[in-house]
Amino acid sequence: AQSVTQLDSHVSVSEGTPVLLRCNYSSSYSPSLFWYVQHPNKGLQLLLKYTSAATLVKGINGFEAEFKKSETSFHLTKPSAHMSDAAEYFCVVMVSGGYNKLIFGAGTRLAVHP
Amino acid sequence: DTGVSQDPRHKITKRGQNVTFRCDPISEHNRLYWYRQTLGQGPEFLTYFQNEAQLEKSRLLSDRFSAERPKGSFSTLEIQRTEQGDSAMYLCASSLYSGRARNEQFFGPGTRLTVL
């Protein structure tokens, strides 16, 4: 079975400092992994996706993530946090076999302080 | 706006009543998914359609839940005899499935259901 574990339920950073949101995955196959962001009262938005191409994936708004098979990790990073980055972030694995349904982690709430 | 739309955005109902939600996917997308998100949790898969065919249903989808996608366009999710445990955000997503490609799912804003 495929699953993801987000290691932190809450992360708090100061504006201008780096962001690290941690995610470990479990998959029997070569996984497709995603990070989605959810702002209050808004829909889920795709930040970036890994689908077995380059292991370092760049996304929108300066976010990037690195797929590390040896560590079964897909951590999300950003060099410098903005106030507008405050939101809920979900690490997601796509179930293989044609279904393409998504399995979400429990989420990490990112707070950004001035 | 050509994204995924959902209606209504909010629904308050009394326990035991029936409710129906609608999802309009991106027009050229052949796959449509329903997810449920409870407070403090990530979304959980409920069911999905490829065109008009419902191909998989989660164990979360009790017999009080039914979903349809007539003509492979919009979809409806009906909950009969609502219970307080049904209170959640119901999310719809759509994607363009083409063989082995693992295409992005685009999400709607969700319908927030509150059962009193």
Side-chain angles (χ1 to χ4, degrees), chain A residues 29-32 34 36 38 41-46 49 51-52 88 90 94 96-107, chain B residues 9-10 31 33 35 37 40-45 48 50 55-56 89 91 95 97 99 101-110:
Chain A
Y29 306 93
S30 178
S32 290
F34 305 79
Y36 278 84
Q38 188 174 40
N41 300 316
K42 292 190 177 180
L44 287 157
Q45 181 183 20
L46 180 69
K49 64 179 179 181
T51 56
S52 75
E88 188 89 18
F90 294 97
M94 178 177 279
S96 57
Y99 303 111
N100 286 11
K101 69 182 180 184
L102 302 179
I103 297 175
F104 286 74
Chain B
R9 294 290 305 276
H10 303 272
R31 283 209 170 169
Y33 300 80
Y35 294 84
Q37 184 178 19
Q41 299 297 317
E44 295 174 290
F45 169 80
Y48 86 99
Q50 180 157 319
L55 297 185
E56 188 182 352
M89 177 76 84
L91 296 167
S95 71
Y97 177 73
R102 301 173 184 182
N103 291 327
E104 172 188 353
Q105 292 182 22
F106 292 82
F107 282 82

Side-chain angles (χ1 to χ4, degrees), chain B residues 73-85:
Chain B
S73 56
F74 70 93
S75 176
T76 58
L77 178 68
E78 181 183 16
I79 309 174
Q80 296 183 327
R81 306 181 303 281
T82 53
E83 301 173 356
Q84 288 184 326

Side-chain angles (χ1 to χ4, degrees), chain B residues 44-59:
Chain B
E44 295 174 290
F45 169 80
L46 291 179
T47 188
Y48 86 99
F49 295 82
Q50 180 157 319
N51 300 313
E52 67 274 11
Q54 188 174 17
L55 297 185
E56 188 182 352
K57 293 193 291 186
S58 162
R59 289 170 296 174

